[in-house]
Amino acid sequence: MPTLLSIETQYVTVDIQGRDGPPSTLAALGHLPRKPHLAVESTDGDFTLIGGDDPPALYEESVYWFVVQSKVAGSRPLIVQRDPSLIARSDELADSGIVAATVVYRRQVGLSKWGFRVGEQELSLELEVFPAKLDYDVDYEALVDDVADVKRVLALEYFRGTYRLGSVDRSKVGEPLEWITILRQLIVDLERSVQQVNRSPQRSLRYERQLTPLHQIRGATPSVVRSVTRGEGVGELVDISGVGKVHAQLPVDRATDTLDTFEHRWLRSRLRFVHARLLGLRAEQDERVARAQSRGGSAPTRLTAEQGELTDMVRALEQLIKLPVMEAATVEVSASFTSLQLQSGIGYGEAYRVLTALSSALGVASEAQPYSLSDLSELYEVWCFLKVIQVAREVTGAEVDLSRVLTTASAGLRFNLVKGARSSVTLRFPGGQVTFTYNPEYRMPTGLQRPDIVAKVRLTGLPEAIIALDAKYRLDASTQYVAQFGSPGAPIDAVNALHRYRDAIRPLIDGARTPIVVAGAALFPWQHPLSARDYGLRRSIDEVGIGALPFLPNNVSGVAEWLGELLAMPVGVPA
């Protein structure tokens, strides 16, 4: 087995062995990886790369061997890894100071950190693991970014309906900048409402103790009586009939109007919160642009457009915070504060609704998801579920009910999308509705059936039907497969599972087991559109209702066309 990397220090030597070169599935895509990332640190600052400075390209679904030898007599080397599941086996050669570990990257990709410790000394490595079925710099990052973007779109749409916010120009919805389009419209609504508040603010009275000459005091108010009885005040004593001697100036509560109200404090607090969230989003975008530029060339148009839009929004929020009515607010108040004026006052009510929506929706955007070493199969499943919902919403123009997949917390919205946990989203459109469920279970007499995603379709006047979808981060690029189906694609066992779902999922309807799965598709990661002419399993969808479709951020047209046909035409229970 060839040695991919060898590093030596004064206290330890590390050899990494494994397959050299990209796997066949990556070769089928026609993509070769760029120069991999490699970072090396040693506690004594001294190390040597043996055999050159070129770092190795490691791949998912691959086995590697780490051979670690201590150079300190009597000291056993220790391998440090935060994810112990990566180490399938570890063996120590007796009295040799050598530990050999079998490392298996299943479907994890990204940056992988390792430590090799001898006594108090440690050698740290940061290696890069590449996908075997995706272009790492295009498809993988697009998956990560798209999951975040679709969550933002759905969250903003959720609050648009919940808080009955203004409409958005739907001619641009469905484009890559959709979440920015919706967010921009919300910021425009916010600017209009806060400017209205600034023009016609509601003031309140504030009472302050002020020294007041006796001739300016009108009546025996409680504060006047209190000052007299306590002997407070300054100046010469004046003898007042029936009262006695009092100071020429008394501390009296005087009422003045102020903009420092609880309503303005709440508005300022929420504006500052949204501003901080937008700054965080822009920082993420700056990092994405810099990362794209570091690979050579310019950043994609989409990234630079989003970067510019976010910069404009940050500036808009900064201008609102500087308005006189906002600068008059002195302290922060809880996000849970509310009042009748805040909810229904002119300008106040709309600002309250928009800021509540933005505060919670942007909480989704601020969730830091650790993708430094990600399980691609899980990431792909979550992306498929969210993207299928978005595609179906676009082809039907449906209203989205996210109440079962979103929860509201003090820090914002949270998506309840967890591997193995059931989540559902309902879309309602003229003529019916469709409910997408992630991780459903069907307990049938033949056993438990678990498709990844099902779409339960209810069209007016027709029986309920189910479309089954399996998100399979798997790709068969073997010569035999390509010869049979015309292109690399979903493994045939994934497609056969859909036949099983169609046959096995038969719930009791009117006392009889009735088949209700009318169609199914295995979704697989492939960059290029595949027509029925190009790909046999796309053709099988038209012929028998079961097959496979490519599905990636830059290749959603096939799924959109298929879902559009199924949700627009009568979908009935097969005879």
Side-chain angles (χ1 to χ4, degrees), residues 216-262:
Q216 293 182 5
I217 296 176
R218 299 291 183 267
T221 64
S223 65
V224 171
V225 173
R226 186 167 54 252
S227 296
V228 170
T229 56
R230 293 177 179 177
E232 297 174 340
V234 296
E236 63 181 13
L237 293 175
V238 178
D239 192 0
I240 298 179
S241 176
V243 176
K245 293 184 177 182
V246 298
H247 288 281
Q249 296 184 61
L250 298 179
V252 178
D253 289 341
R254 301 289 296 272
T256 58
D257 65 349
T258 180
L259 291 173
D260 187 15
T261 66
F262 280 104

Side-chain angles (χ1 to χ4, degrees), residues 169-213:
D169 180 4
R170 303 301 298 186
S171 66
K172 295 184 181 294
V173 174
E175 297 180 2
L177 298 181
E178 178 179 359
W179 75 274
I180 286 284
T181 301
I182 300 173
L183 187 58
R184 185 202 308 123
Q185 183 58 52
L186 288 174
I187 298 296
V188 169
D189 295 344
L190 180 63
E191 287 182 290
R192 181 178 61 249
S193 59
V194 173
Q195 291 286 1
Q196 174 64 36
V197 170
N198 187 63
R199 288 192 296 269
S200 303
Q202 295 294 317
R203 303 171 184 267
S204 66
L205 292 178
R206 178 173 59 191
Y207 290 89
E208 295 180 345
R209 301 273 285 175
Q210 297 180 2
L211 286 173
T212 305

Side-chain angles (χ1 to χ4, degrees), residues 135-168:
D135 182 300
Y136 187 48
D137 295 331
V138 177
D139 297 321
Y140 171 70
E141 291 204 0
L143 279 177
V144 175
D145 294 342
D146 226 31
V147 166
D149 289 353
V150 174
K151 282 185 175 182
R152 292 164 186 163
V153 170
L154 294 176
L156 291 168
E157 288 284 7
Y158 170 77
F159 276 102
R160 179 172 296 282
T162 302
Y163 290 92
R164 299 182 299 281
L165 303 175
S167 62
V168 70

Side-chain angles (χ1 to χ4, degrees), residues 132 181 286 300 386 399 421:
T181 301
D286 291 345
L386 291 172
E399 297 294 328

Side-chain angles (χ1 to χ4, degrees), residues 258-307:
T258 180
L259 291 173
D260 187 15
T261 66
F262 280 104
E263 288 77 12
H264 298 156
R265 291 175 181 179
W266 186 91
L267 290 173
R268 183 174 184 271
S269 298
R270 292 297 89 197
L271 284 171
R272 286 166 56 87
F273 179 88
V274 171
H275 178 255
R277 286 288 187 264
L278 289 174
L279 280 176
L281 283 175
R282 192 182 65 179
E284 290 178 16
Q285 205 69 9
D286 291 345
E287 183 179 346
R288 291 159 73 181
V289 170
R291 197 162 59 239
Q293 291 173 338
S294 69
R295 302 187 190 111
S298 59
T301 304
R302 168 191 174 181
L303 294 185
T304 54
E306 289 180 348
Q307 186 183 41

Side-chain angles (χ1 to χ4, degrees), residues 488-538:
I492 195 62
D493 65 309
V495 178
N496 288 337
L498 293 163
H499 283 286
R500 185 181 75 245
Y501 296 145
R502 183 163 65 178
D503 293 339
I505 299 176
R506 296 178 175 234
L508 281 170
I509 300 177
D510 296 330
R513 293 282 179 185
T514 305
I516 62 172
V517 178
V518 299
L523 307 179
F524 62 93
W526 185 249
Q527 298 172 330
H528 311 295
L530 295 174
S531 65
R533 183 187 68 254
D534 302 325
Y535 184 46
L537 292 178
R538 173 63 184 91

